[in-house]
Amino acid sequence: MAFTDRLHNRGSVSTGYDIDQSATFDSTRNQWIERTIPYNSGRGNDSYRKATFSLWLKRGNLATDRFFLGGSNSARYWAVKFNSSNKLEIYTHSGISGYNGTSPITTRQFLDASAWYHLVFRWDTTLSTAGDRFRLYVNGEEEDTWETAPNIDQNAEGEFTTLSNIVHAFGGQNGYYNSTGSNFDGQIAEINYLANTSAGPDEFGKTDTDGQWVPIDTSSVSSQAAADSYRIDFGATDSSNPYNDTTSANQDFSNASSSGAPRIGTDTPTNNFMTWNPLTGHYNDTDSYLAGANHVLQGQNGAYQLRMGTIGINPNYTSAKWYWEYLNTSNIHSSTNEYSVGVATETRWMDIHNSGSQTDFINGDGLARYLSTYNSGGNGTGANTVWGCMVDCSGSNPVITLYRNGSSVYTYTYSAWSSRSWDEFLFPSGAAYGSGSELVINSGGGYVQEFTVDSSNTDANGYGSFEYAPPSGALALCTKNLASDGGGY
């Protein structure tokens, strides 16, 4: 079982500057935002040879083409994606003059769906050294090994750099071919585009005293660049217009998806929230059964889909209470759509075939509750029931409490914990069985259409947004809370 627990880009806590909001793009809905940058003869912006894109993103499902940045002009277009090998690929259309039909592809794979990555794409085709005409930076470091190396002619002009009624798109392939089924799945925050400008990563981030690459305030960066530049902070400046340009250039973007706009949340590079981890699984499940930026776990016939969360808790190092929510999108029936929720450890899953009554799954260190147990006695659990789960670490043994629509329905004390001779983490976990079943997780930071949080309940520290008020003193699983209350993974 793979965990990506100690990477430097999992979400910083104390940076001196906070990114407050992000957008969640759901690939099943082909969501994107776009803007047509108009031609301006006074600036000659159809002949630029320099450009810089900076953005933070957090991946959703893996191992499939996912476009998140693109530009186009009629039949000529370019795009940036994670390809099916989880490598970054900068697609260039063969008709773009000077780009030789080359698609630079990284050697590096981007497999950490628990992390926020900072990417800077930098073009300057005026440079004499061919290898400097396009540069990519990941978390402040230049990418210097390529599966397919960049190949750009000196002084080339193309859709990467020039502006002549060019459509810029985020979350999709480009302004003409967005509804392809290959649009981005994940979250994007803090976009900066510098027109006719070549800028390095230090304009957008810095290395802190812990060696982490963290964001800095970029509110003045785009404003000082060419008039065609823009900055999108997803509503942190103006909540009523989350896709608007925050600079005076007013290069405002708009939602271009016909199936719903990307949802705005508070899962960001400076406060990273828990989602389903695609690198965890059990039996014959696959990553293809995750959707909605890793918030949606989809069931299938004949196999249980199981996942753990990206953040775990060690009760030995925290005395806090930790809380998150689930939603089952279909009715719960023991023979068709089945669900379980609870916690699991690094090394032991709950065994959903262990109990003849299929009520409690307590096997070794796996602790979960089968939800169909509440279908009896008039307590049916229909579609869109919200389940809360709290792990209370204030005593010598952690106590797990399950809530249905805000009311406590089950409590389990892990009495064996205090006698353990080694440390291990408890991770949020869940399972869905049956075609059409979906178990949606909400740790408070990001949202998808399947689980629209209509309330504004925060945790005890004011973080997150939950459908039901968390129990008194309970905290969301996010990096700011882990920094203040410990025990995180």
Side-chain angles (χ1 to χ4, degrees):
M1 186 172 297
F3 291 92
T4 51
D5 51 304
R6 294 178 180 89
L7 300 183
H8 67 284
N9 57 357
R10 281 205 71 201
S12 54
V13 177
S14 179
T15 69
Y17 171 72
D18 282 338
I19 294 177
D20 293 323
Q21 296 189 168
S22 67
T24 299
F25 293 83
D26 184 347
S27 62
T28 65
R29 300 177 185 276
N30 286 328
Q31 297 169 326
W32 73 95
I33 61 173
E34 67 179 36
R35 161 79 179 180
T36 300
I37 313 297
Y39 169 63
N40 188 300
S41 60
R43 292 193 291 274
N45 65 357
D46 62 342
S47 60
Y48 289 164
R49 296 180 175 89
K50 302 176 183 179
T52 306
F53 286 91
S54 165
L55 74 160
W56 291 81
L57 60 77
K58 181 177 176 181
R59 295 200 66 184
N61 53 30
L62 307 176
T64 188
D65 283 353
R66 291 294 175 221
F67 291 89
F68 60 86
L69 168 60
S72 59
N73 179 10
S74 185
R76 303 196 308 173
Y77 63 93
W78 62 272
V80 184
K81 68 178 181 180
F82 294 104
N83 64 24
S84 58
S85 298
N86 296 302
K87 299 177 180 181
L88 267 178
E89 182 173 342
I90 297 86
Y91 176 79
T92 61
H93 191 277
S94 58
I96 298 179
S97 175
Y99 286 85
N100 304 312
T102 301
S103 293
I105 303 173
T106 63
T107 302
R108 176 204 296 246
Q109 292 180 297
F110 295 80
L111 294 169
D112 192 350
S114 69
W116 279 91
Y117 292 104
H118 181 231
L119 304 176
V120 175
F121 303 91
R122 182 183 189 182
W123 286 271
D124 184 352
T125 69
T126 69
L127 298 175
S128 58
T129 302
D132 292 340
R133 293 172 194 156
F134 168 69
R135 284 170 283 182
L136 165 66
Y137 303 87
V138 180
N139 298 326
E141 298 182 0
E142 183 171 359
E143 198 71 12
D144 56 6
T145 60
W146 295 84
E147 179 179 298
T148 302
N151 184 12
I152 302 173
D153 294 342
Q154 190 172 17
N155 294 316
E157 299 173 5
E159 275 68 14
F160 289 101
T161 56
T162 66
L163 300 170
S164 180
N165 293 318
I166 297 293
V167 178
H168 282 190
F170 294 93
Q173 183 172 352
N174 57 65
Y176 291 88
Y177 300 97
N178 280 292
S179 298
T180 65
S182 297
N183 286 357
F184 186 57
D185 194 78
Q187 290 157 283
I188 296 178
E190 189 73 30
I191 294 171
N192 282 275
Y193 169 64
L194 308 185
N196 201 28
T197 303
S198 173
D202 291 346
E203 295 288 344
F204 312 102
K206 67 179 182 180
T207 302
D208 69 6
T209 55
D210 295 324
Q212 297 187 42
W213 183 254
V214 298
I216 60 175
D217 187 357
T218 63
S219 58
S220 64
V221 174
S222 294
S223 299
Q224 295 170 358
D228 301 294
S229 304
Y230 54 79
R231 173 177 177 260
I232 305 171
D233 67 3
F234 294 102
T237 300
D238 181 359
S239 60
S240 64
N241 298 291
Y243 313 126
N244 276 6
D245 178 13
T246 66
T247 77
S248 59
N250 296 319
Q251 298 280 10
D252 297 335
F253 281 64
S254 61
N255 167 50
S257 171
S258 61
S259 57
R263 298 300 173 92
I264 304 300
T266 58
D267 186 342
T268 74
T270 54
N271 195 14
N272 191 359
F273 283 75
M274 179 266 297
T275 59
W276 291 127
N277 190 341
L279 301 181
T280 64
H282 201 42
Y283 296 113
N284 63 339
D285 55 4
T286 67
D287 176 56
S288 61
Y289 293 95
L290 282 176
N294 289 343
H295 291 85
V296 182
L297 176 59
Q298 299 172 322
Q300 62 172 318
N301 286 330
Y304 281 91
Q305 295 297 310
L306 299 100
R307 286 294 183 276
M308 293 184 188
T310 54
I311 295 177
I313 310 152
N314 190 325
N316 290 342
Y317 301 104
T318 177
S319 58
K321 302 174 184 177
W322 301 93
Y323 177 81
W324 58 92
E325 292 178 334
Y326 310 86
L327 179 140
N328 55 280
T329 60
S330 59
N331 290 324
I332 295 175
H333 302 289
S334 60
S335 60
T336 54
N337 294 324
E338 301 174 355
Y339 300 86
S340 65
V341 298
V343 300
T345 72
E346 299 169 63
T347 58
R348 298 298 296 272
W349 273 96
M350 62 278 194
D351 183 351
I352 45 185
H353 301 293
N354 188 50
S355 171
S357 63
Q358 291 193 312
T359 298
D360 298 313
F361 307 120
I362 302 172
N363 177 30
D365 297 323
L367 315 168
R369 188 70 172 175
Y370 184 65
L371 300 184
S372 286
T373 187
Y374 301 110
N375 268 339
S376 60
N379 294 323
T381 54
N384 301 317
T385 300
V386 176
W387 304 89
C389 187
M390 182 179 70
V391 178
D392 184 351
C393 301
S394 60
S396 58
N397 293 303
V399 178
I400 300 163
T401 303
L402 183 66
Y403 301 83
R404 183 183 66 237
N405 292 333
S407 298
S408 173
V409 292
Y410 173 69
T411 299
Y412 176 79
T413 300
Y414 191 3
S415 58
W417 182 268
S418 59
S419 62
R420 295 169 61 91
S421 60
W422 69 92
D423 286 339
E424 203 159 21
F425 285 74
L426 301 179
F427 287 85
S429 66
Y433 180 94
S435 178
S437 62
E438 292 182 328
L439 185 62
V440 189
I441 199 162
N442 171 35
S443 63
Y447 314 101
V448 290
Q449 275 82 346
E450 286 82 355
F451 193 168
T452 300
V453 177
D454 296 319
S455 305
S456 57
N457 299 301
T458 66
D459 73 0
N461 287 338
Y463 299 128
S465 183
F466 297 94
E467 185 65 22
Y468 290 92
S472 178
L475 303 177
L477 280 171
C478 62
T479 52
K480 282 189 178 291
N481 281 336
L482 297 178
S484 62
D485 291 89
Y489 193 69

